[in-house]
Structures are given as C-alpha cells and as structure tokens.
C-alpha cells in the first residue's frame, strides 16, 4: 500500500496569515490513464465527516473557497490556505486514490 | 440532495458481530463505487472496503475474511457485515461514494456510525 506522510502534525497560524501543509507519498500517485496525480485533500472539523476540498492535486471541489489551493506532483504535495479564517480550524488529511485508498495521519490547524 | 445515512453501530463484545447500513438518497448506489471507511479515535481515516458498480468487492488486509460488503438495490442501501469483532475495530464507520469510479476520490460521506468493541 502507498503510505502518506504529512507534516507538520500541527500548525498554529494567525488569522489572515498563510497556512501550508505538506504530504509525501511512498511512491508516485500519477494515474496512468490521464497523467494526473490522484491526490486529494480533506478538511475534518470535530464531530464531522471529512469534507473534500481538492482532487487531482490541484482541482478545487465545487463550493470550496478559493483561499484553498493544492499543488505538487509525483510524490510531494502541498495544501495552502492563503488567508486563514476562524472556520478553517480543523484537521486536514491528504488522500491518494490511485490504488487501495490511503490517507495521511492528519495536520491539525489552530489559530494563534 | 445527495445524502448518505449510516446506522447499526453499537457496543459489542470481542468476537461479536454487527451489520452496518448506509441508506443513500439523491443518487443510485448500484451505479457508483461505494466504500466503507473507518476512523479510530484520534487517528486518520482508514479505508476498509469497496463495492464496485459491477459487483466486484475489495477489502483492506486488516479486515479480509471478517467483513463483507453488499448492497440492496431495491432499498438503495449499502451494508457492511462485520464478524469476529476485535478491540482494534473500534471506530466511527463512514460510508462514502466515489462519484467517477476509480478516477475520483470519495466526494460524499455520511455522518458515520460508531462501533465500540469492548468486554
């Protein structure tokens, strides 16, 4: 199985500042059928299920604010929140869906 | 509205069994790749099983031989039969849809049902 490793485990950012989360996969997640990276990002608030934010590494899901953006390719990926809002406090997970799906261990984002 | 609602969780002794249900609305279960994902307390999600639109099923190694995924097309409902429960199966169990088969992530999730395995 592909192992997903996230860093940092937790992040404290001031309101309006940028938050950056990293994710590394143990092998490439480039999908052979379309040459896209099968990498997604989820947001999970306490007591809620994960919410899809980003797919194909950089495509924003419908309704997701444009302050959320994804980048990267191959084995290294990043989720950025350009201007942190109070409602962005949550745990964020990266997820690969190329083979048997796997998730990262999560990054907890808090307000400074 | 597209929605998934899980039920069937509870407190069970080790070695016991449960059947989880996931009722779908707003889309057809049998036309999608439907998954069960679990999340132990304080941990990240862990994929458990998938049922493809063609009826194929796949399982994580940790549950193979103990868990069975199935669906009832007439009820538009997904199931997970869990046998020989272990303490390490304690988790919130979510059902989730992959909207475009193998080329998409899980886009719709239910709120989950809690399974606690303890003596």
């Amino acid at each position: 199985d592909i192992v997903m490793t996230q860093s940092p485990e937790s992040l404290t950012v001031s309101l309006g500042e940028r938050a950056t989360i990293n994710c590394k996969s143990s092998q490439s997640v480039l999908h052979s059928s379309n040459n896209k990276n099968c990498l997604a990002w989820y947001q999970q608030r306490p007591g809620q299920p994960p919410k899809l934010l980003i797919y194909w590494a950089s495509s924003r899901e419908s309704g997701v604010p444009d302050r959320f953006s994804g980048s990267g390719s191959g084995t290294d990926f990043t989720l950025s929140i350009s201007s942190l809002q109070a409602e962005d406090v949550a745990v964020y997970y990266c997820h690969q869906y190329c083979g048997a799906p796997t998730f990262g261990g999560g990054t907890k984002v808090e307000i400074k | 509205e597209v929605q998934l609602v899980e039920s069937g969780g509870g407190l069970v002794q080790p070695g016991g069994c449960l059947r989880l249900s996931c009722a779908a609305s707003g889309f057809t279960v049998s036309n999608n790749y439907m998954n069960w994902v679990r999340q132990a307390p304080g941990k990240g999600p862990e994929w458990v099983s998938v049922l493809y639109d063609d009826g194929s099923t796949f399982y994580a190694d940790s549950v193979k031989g103990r868990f069975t995924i199935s669906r009832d097309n007439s009820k538009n409902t997904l199931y997970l039969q869990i046998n020989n429960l272990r303490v390490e199966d304690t988790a919130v169990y979510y059902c989730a849809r992959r909207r475009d088969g193998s080329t998409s992530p899980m886009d719709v999730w239910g709120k989950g049902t809690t399974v606690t395995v303890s003596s």
Side-chain angles (χ1 to χ4, degrees), chain B:
Chain B
E1 181 191 4
V2 173
Q3 193 174 7
L4 294 166
V5 179
E6 303 93 336
S7 60
L11 173 61
V12 186
Q13 291 188 339
C17 59
L18 280 175
R19 189 176 82 154
L20 308 183
S21 299
C22 170
S25 56
F27 72 98
T28 301
V29 163
S30 61
N31 291 343
N32 288 270
Y33 284 23
M34 296 300 299
N35 297 262
W36 287 98
V37 177
R38 68 184 179 183
Q39 188 169 27
K43 303 292 187 182
E46 177 193 16
W47 172 78
V48 169
S49 181
V50 63
L51 173 55
Y52 287 177
D53 53 357
D54 69 0
S56 302
T57 59
F58 298 91
Y59 300 91
D61 287 344
S62 57
V63 307
K64 209 171 289 184
R66 299 188 299 123
F67 289 21
T68 303
I69 192 171
S70 64
R71 67 189 178 214
D72 184 330
N73 295 345
S74 67
K75 296 182 178 179
N76 207 29
T77 298
L78 181 74
Y79 300 101
L80 186 69
Q81 177 69 40
I82 309 176
N83 297 330
N84 191 18
L85 275 156
R86 304 169 180 169
V87 171
E88 56 265 34
D89 295 321
T90 295
V92 176
Y93 284 72
Y94 298 100
C95 63
R97 179 188 79 169
R98 288 179 76 169
R99 65 183 166 215
D100 293 322
S102 65
T103 58
S104 68
M106 295 171 226
D107 66 327
V108 178
W109 296 61
K111 293 188 185 303
T113 187
T114 300
V115 173
T116 303
V117 185
S118 174
S119 53

Side-chain angles (χ1 to χ4, degrees), chain A residues 42 44 49 56 61 93 97 103, chain B residues 39 44-45 98-99 103 106 110:
Chain A
Y42 291 90
Q44 188 175 34
W56 293 131
E61 179 73 343
Y93 295 98
Y97 48 96
F103 295 82
Chain B
Q39 188 169 27
R98 288 179 76 169
R99 65 183 166 215
T103 58
M106 295 171 226

Side-chain angles (χ1 to χ4, degrees), chain A residues 87-107:
Chain A
E87 61 264 32
D88 300 334
V89 169
V91 180
Y92 293 83
Y93 295 98
C94 60
H95 161 60
Q96 68 78 21
Y97 48 96
C98 263
T102 52
F103 295 82
T107 296

